[in-house]
Amino acid sequence: MRRMTDNSRPTPGSDPKKGGAGDSSPRPRKRRRRGSRPASGAARNAGTEKNQAAKPDGASGAGGGKEPAKASGSAKSGGNRSNRRRRGRGSGRGRNQRQNTSRYRSNHRGSHHADTTMETRDETSAGGLVVSGMAEAVGPGGKVDLSRIYVALIGRLDRRGRLLWSMPKGHVEDGEHQWTTAEREVWEETGILGEAFEELGVIDYWFVSEGVRIHKTVHHNLLRYVDGVLNDEDPEVTEVTWVPMSELIEHLAYADERKLARIAVDRMPAIARKEADAGRATPR
């Protein structure tokens, strides 16, 4: 007798083996990887061995066609590391880092060599701002008009031919007080006779001249105008000029002197009122 097989699909919630309605919950479905077939363990092993023997890497065992081989986790990581290494060698960051290191080593060797072989010397200079019209700038109620107060500056040409304005200053002689130096240097470089009456600030810096490393300290002062007319007879000075105190900061070429100029501008109203109260009118 021929045995009949029922190929109809069971309805959801029924169990064909029990012949009736079973548990109402749906049957759990097995997750399948996309592109793969479920197979028994023996068949799967046999198919794998056959495929490995008959087909090159990257061929699928199901359809006989080729598909791209998937990289393993270690291969991906290795590829990323390789890419990162290539990017590092080709990027500007890597080059700059190596250049900066070389430059640092070069500078370090140079500075070490200079420290052990180059002569070092200390120098001291003094100068400052000679001020005119302080008492006359004080108005009603003690208000001070800085545009009526003038200071003398000197101009020198740099290597590019630019005229750079700065405060007059010069070398302090042995045993000389820095106020005496400031008065002498202002007179020599501007033609104005001034009287130092207040310290403004100190600047120090290093530079190399004729194979000697020099540490220079410069004292800056405020000087009260006494007499004289501007002149540029000093061969080291290109021009001299009177500048309103209200425009002093923007005229100065060097950052350290601009800082001192800000101090002078901040102090000037109080100083001008003191000069007016003492009756010190500017000589004409």
Side-chain angles (χ1 to χ4, degrees):
M1 179 182 292
R2 180 176 298 179
R3 189 174 181 178
M4 303 298 291
T5 303
D6 185 6
N7 293 327
S8 62
R9 295 184 179 179
T11 58
S14 65
D15 189 348
K17 293 183 179 180
K18 294 183 179 180
D23 186 68
S24 60
S25 60
R27 295 175 60 188
R29 299 179 60 183
K30 294 183 178 180
R31 290 188 178 181
R32 298 180 182 178
R33 295 184 61 186
R34 183 175 298 178
S36 64
R37 290 184 179 181
S40 62
R44 185 167 57 248
N45 294 336
T48 303
E49 293 175 357
K50 182 178 180 181
N51 291 337
Q52 289 178 349
K55 296 182 180 181
D57 294 340
S60 66
K66 294 183 179 180
E67 62 181 20
K70 295 183 179 179
S72 63
S74 60
K76 288 183 179 179
S77 300
N80 290 339
R81 286 196 297 271
S82 176
N83 290 337
R84 284 197 294 270
R85 286 196 294 270
R86 286 195 294 270
R87 286 196 295 271
R89 286 195 295 268
S91 64
R93 183 178 180 182
R95 290 195 301 273
N96 292 339
Q97 195 172 17
R98 290 194 296 274
Q99 291 172 1
N100 292 339
T101 303
S102 301
R103 193 183 308 94
Y104 166 76
R105 291 175 180 172
S106 176
N107 291 341
H108 181 71
R109 287 195 298 267
S111 61
H112 179 72
H113 180 74
D115 290 341
T116 57
T117 62
M118 189 175 293
E119 178 187 353
T120 301
R121 185 170 68 235
D122 291 327
E123 290 186 359
T124 305
S125 295
L129 294 172
V130 57
V131 188
S132 174
M134 290 183 288
E136 291 75 13
V138 181
K143 184 177 181 180
V144 178
D145 184 0
L146 294 180
S147 65
R148 298 183 60 188
I149 301 176
Y150 287 83
V151 295
L153 298 180
I154 62 172
R156 291 189 175 98
L157 293 176
D158 67 355
R159 295 178 180 178
R160 299 180 181 180
R162 298 175 301 179
L163 185 63
L164 305 180
W165 295 100
S166 62
M167 303 179 189
K169 63 187 75 67
H171 182 68
V172 176
E173 302 295 341
D174 293 339
E176 186 178 43
H177 191 277
Q178 61 101 357
W179 276 14
T180 303
T181 304
E183 293 171 353
R184 185 188 73 251
E185 292 296 330
V186 168
W187 165 260
E188 291 178 357
E189 294 187 345
T190 67
I192 301 298
L193 178 62
E195 178 187 6
F197 67 93
E198 186 170 321
E199 293 184 2
L200 186 57
V202 180
I203 296 174
D204 73 296
Y205 54 91
W206 290 86
F207 66 97
V208 177
S209 177
E210 298 180 355
V212 179
R213 295 179 71 244
I214 299 175
H215 180 213
K216 191 162 190 176
T217 303
V218 185
H219 298 268
H220 294 79
N221 306 277
L222 291 175
L223 295 85
R224 185 184 297 111
Y225 173 86
V226 176
D227 196 5
V229 178
L230 288 178
N231 67 71
D232 54 0
E233 294 180 359
D234 191 312
E236 297 181 358
V237 176
T238 305
E239 290 185 24
V240 294
T241 188
W242 287 108
V243 175
M245 179 69 73
S246 58
E247 302 175 8
L248 172 62
I249 299 174
E250 62 192 62
H251 267 77
L252 293 170
Y254 305 105
D256 289 340
E257 289 193 354
R258 288 197 295 269
K259 292 179 181 179
L260 295 179
R262 290 187 182 94
I263 296 175
V265 170
D266 292 340
R267 290 184 187 176
M268 192 50 57
I271 294 174
R273 285 190 286 267
K274 187 183 296 185
E275 293 287 301
D277 292 342
R280 294 193 183 97
T282 301
R284 297 297 180 186

